[in-house]
Amino acid sequence: MSVKIRLQRHGKKGKPFYWIVAADARSKRDGKFLEKIGTYNPTANPAIIDLNVDAAVQWLHNGAQPTDTAKAILSYKGALLKHHLDGGVRKGALTQDQADAKFTAWLDEKAGTVTAKKDGLSKAKEDAKAKAFKLEQEANEKRVKAAAEAAQPAVEEVTEEVEATTEETPAVEENNEETQA
């Protein structure tokens, strides 16, 4: 029986969520599996991956072949590196302590890059928010200025009309006096 480490799709339409499973190569994509190794949520930025590294390494030792996407995930989380280091320990090139030290150093470096990416994303989000706020303030100032300019000529027109009607009114009264005499 050939075993594959692959993704099993779950989640709603347009919102995928995957289980990382070890399954018989002959079973369907979402069919029965031997063991659930982890989960993968690609909709988050950065993607959320929860992987049991030790279980994945054990399946790799037993000869399980990962699919392309699963291989990328295993590489990202360090399961392939740990499998490689365990091979070096079995051959006698490294001691278990050296392999563990290399693996923890790699995990620390990887954690640093992930936090840097998260910080960069949050900073970019804050910058975009600040820029949108600034643009909205400028648009509001333009609207207020345009409203003030639109109101000012209307006030001038009203005052001109009032002045014109007051000038015409005495003339009408004079005409009325002339007609009465």
Side-chain angles (χ1 to χ4, degrees):
M1 168 171 79
S2 143
V3 177
K4 290 267 190 191
I5 297 176
R6 64 182 178 202
L7 301 179
Q8 194 177 64
R9 192 180 196 286
H10 294 273
K12 294 196 293 188
K13 180 179 177 183
K15 297 181 189 240
F17 183 83
Y18 297 96
W19 286 358
I20 304 166
V21 297
D24 184 3
R26 297 171 293 182
S27 65
K28 295 180 182 180
R29 177 192 74 176
D30 296 337
K32 67 181 183 179
F33 57 90
L34 301 171
E35 183 181 0
K36 179 181 171 185
I37 299 172
T39 60
Y40 169 56
N41 183 3
T43 57
N45 190 8
I48 299 170
I49 302 170
D50 180 31
L51 182 69
N52 183 349
V53 176
D54 295 328
V57 170
Q58 186 61 42
W59 279 107
L60 290 170
H61 287 326
N62 291 338
Q65 295 297 313
T67 60
D68 293 338
T69 307
K71 188 174 186 177
I73 291 170
L74 294 176
S75 175
Y76 180 80
K77 293 304 273 186
L80 292 179
L81 176 66
K82 189 168 185 178
H83 175 64
H84 175 74
L85 291 173
D86 286 348
V89 169
R90 276 185 267 130
K91 291 179 182 175
L94 297 170
T95 64
Q96 187 64 42
D97 294 336
Q98 290 173 333
D100 290 341
K102 284 186 178 186
F103 185 66
T104 55
W106 182 87
L107 283 177
D108 292 340
E109 181 181 331
K110 186 68 169 183
T113 58
V114 169
T115 55
K117 181 176 181 178
K118 285 181 182 179
D119 292 343
L121 289 172
S122 65
K123 186 176 186 301
K125 191 174 184 179
E126 290 171 4
D127 290 345
K129 206 177 216 184
K131 185 177 179 182
F133 183 70
K134 183 180 177 184
L135 290 174
E136 189 167 337
Q137 281 182 330
E138 291 174 2
N140 285 343
E141 290 173 5
K142 287 180 184 177
R143 256 188 244 117
V144 168
K145 209 180 273 186
E149 290 174 1
Q152 187 176 13
V155 170
E156 290 176 2
E157 290 174 6
V158 169
T159 55
E160 289 174 6
E161 289 176 8
V162 170
E163 290 173 1
T165 55
T166 55
E167 290 174 2
E168 294 173 4
T169 306
V172 171
E173 290 176 6
E174 291 174 8
N175 289 341
N176 286 342
E177 291 176 6
E178 292 176 6
T179 53
Q180 290 176 356

